[in-house]
Amino acid sequence: MEETLLEVNDLKQWFPIRKGFLQRIVGHVKAVDGVSFAINRNEALGLVGESGSGKTTVGRAVLRLYDPTAGEIWYTSSDGERIDIANIDQADMKPLRKEMRMIFQDPFSSLNPRLTVKDLIGEPLIIHKEASGRQLEDRVSDLMTAVGLDPNYMRRYPHEFSGGQRQRIGLARTLALRPRLIIADEPVSALDVSIQAQVLNLLQELKDELGLTYLFIAHDLSVVEHMCDRIAVMYVGRLVEIADSDTLLRRPLHPYTEALVSAIPPADPEIKLNRIILEGDIPSPANPPSGCVFHPRCLYAQEQCTQEEPHLEEIEPGHFASCHFASELTLQGIGDVERA
């Protein structure tokens, strides 16, 4: 049986809206509203969706950078103990931070410009009392080599490196404590395309060599297809579809996923895209639509969609979708797009 490393049940992350002199709470931004998923050991789960859908908030809540409003986050630690991260205090989280790490989106703002590369990569080792002195320098050297950086540059500062090199520094810092779970928050979105490929290939190699598990957050489905075993699609704080990568891209069951798939550029420039353009913008999580949150932009919406909220259900083995008509609609996948 595959070992479940992380299991998230009905996670909610609501932020209060305050107004007036007394700062009274007049509403909530429902950034994450009832999300559930699981990740197996040595698996990469892609979390995709438009900006504002709540992807990054999920990652930060899993690491307890935010205190969840409700729900459970079960993590299986290295000693086999299942821990509900959502309901422990920050002092109990400290030992788990060695096993759960994050790669931040911006490779420059996530690095302290006043620290050298040696200090940046070695800081987690010092905080958790893993190494010091000559041993610390050796560990930093090994980590830099592992991510493709020259250890002779460890006394340089972040501004002396390119964007791709800075992301590698952040990756070395993430790997310093030999984590088991990595939350990768759009780790290549700020990089040039050629550098993106290098970093993605490096992440894939490290996953295989070190047995890492990824929650890979992105908005580019072509990147997620390359990296991930399964894909979960988010929209306005909720999951609308989950399946293995090949199934979801070739046979989507939710209209929102269909629109995302249609935006993937084909490998052959001669192929004409049958692009689906959604009207309007993603709704505000402070005031989501009634019924299905996607119905104002859905090409297939009916009256039921405006009144009843669909739930994430298993339509096919291992393929979950949140749509009233998921079993009835015939939606185009990546193969259909390429034949258009």
Side-chain angles (χ1 to χ4, degrees):
M1 291 181 63
E2 293 181 310
E3 176 193 353
T4 300
L5 185 68
L6 181 72
E7 183 179 349
V8 176
N9 295 322
D10 199 26
L11 176 65
K12 296 182 180 181
Q13 187 69 62
W14 295 5
F15 298 102
I17 301 172
R18 300 178 184 274
K19 285 187 177 181
F21 179 75
L22 299 177
Q23 291 293 286
R24 291 176 178 169
I25 297 175
V26 296
H28 288 88
V29 175
K30 299 178 181 180
V32 178
D33 194 19
V35 165
S36 300
F37 61 88
I39 310 177
N40 293 322
R41 177 90 168 126
N42 200 28
E43 181 186 32
L45 175 67
L47 192 59
V48 302
E50 292 173 274
S51 297
S53 59
K55 308 182 300 297
T56 295
T57 305
V58 169
R60 289 173 179 259
V62 165
L63 289 182
R64 278 298 297 276
L65 299 181
Y66 296 142
D67 291 328
T69 305
E72 300 173 334
I73 304 170
W74 291 98
Y75 172 73
T76 304
S77 64
S78 55
D79 59 8
E81 182 183 1
R82 272 173 55 87
I83 302 168
D84 183 7
I85 292 172
N87 294 296
I88 62 175
D89 58 35
Q90 289 293 344
D92 294 329
M93 270 299 300
K94 185 174 180 180
L96 296 178
R97 296 204 182 281
K98 295 172 64 176
E99 302 185 19
M100 309 169 66
R101 308 288 290 168
M102 190 166 193
I103 303 173
F104 292 95
Q105 179 176 354
D106 188 337
F108 191 69
S109 64
S110 61
L111 301 175
N112 188 333
R114 299 189 179 194
L115 298 182
T116 64
V117 172
K118 176 189 171 184
D119 295 332
L120 288 166
I121 298 175
E123 188 176 34
L125 296 168
I126 295 172
I127 290 173
H128 290 274
K129 300 179 180 178
E130 292 277 320
S132 61
R134 180 64 189 177
Q135 184 187 16
L136 176 66
E137 188 163 319
D138 290 342
R139 287 281 294 273
V140 171
S141 177
D142 291 342
L143 287 162
M144 292 183 70
T145 301
V147 299
L149 291 172
D150 187 342
N152 292 320
Y153 296 160
M154 70 170 64
R155 287 176 174 79
R156 295 187 178 184
Y157 291 86
H159 73 271
E160 299 180 78
F161 294 88
S162 67
Q165 289 174 319
R166 287 196 290 261
Q167 193 61 288
R168 288 170 187 260
I169 295 169
L171 180 55
R173 179 183 171 92
T174 298
L175 295 173
L177 296 171
R178 301 185 181 94
R180 302 171 75 228
L181 173 67
I182 291 180
I183 313 294
D185 182 14
E186 304 207 31
V188 296
S189 63
L191 306 178
D192 293 338
V193 174
S194 60
I195 305 301
Q196 284 185 14
Q198 295 177 22
V199 174
L200 289 173
N201 290 334
L202 175 61
L203 288 170
Q204 189 65 55
E205 291 170 9
L206 292 171
K207 174 178 178 289
D208 297 335
E209 291 175 9
L210 305 177
L212 299 173
T213 302
Y214 289 138
L215 175 59
F216 194 91
I217 299 168
H219 61 266
D220 188 339
L221 267 175
S222 57
V223 168
V224 175
E225 178 189 15
H226 175 75
M227 277 295 301
C228 300
D229 304 296
R230 290 188 299 133
I231 299 175
V233 181
M234 279 195 76
Y235 188 75
V236 196
R238 304 174 193 184
L239 288 183
V240 297
E241 188 166 358
I242 306 177
D244 68 81
S245 298
D246 187 66
T247 300
L248 184 136
L249 293 174
R250 298 192 179 281
R251 197 171 65 255
L253 297 179
H254 195 282
Y256 181 58
T257 308
E258 179 189 38
L260 293 179
V261 169
S262 77
I264 300 176
D268 186 347
E270 298 297 323
I271 294 174
K272 184 179 179 181
L273 283 173
N274 185 17
R275 179 76 186 275
I276 298 173
I277 306 296
L278 297 176
E279 295 184 359
D281 297 320
I282 186 170
S284 168
N287 185 28
S290 60
C292 174
V293 291
F294 186 61
H295 86 259
R297 306 174 73 192
C298 182
L299 302 176
Y300 313 99
Q302 300 184 30
E303 185 176 355
Q304 180 183 2
C305 304
T306 66
Q307 300 172 354
E308 298 178 23
E309 179 184 347
H311 300 287
L312 197 67
E313 298 179 353
E314 189 170 17
I315 310 300
E316 300 172 357
H319 196 162
F320 298 79
S322 175
C323 176
H324 293 301
F325 307 103
S327 58
E328 301 173 20
L329 295 173
T330 302
L331 305 179
Q332 70 175 16
I334 193 168
D336 302 310
V337 171
E338 292 184 354
R339 290 193 297 270

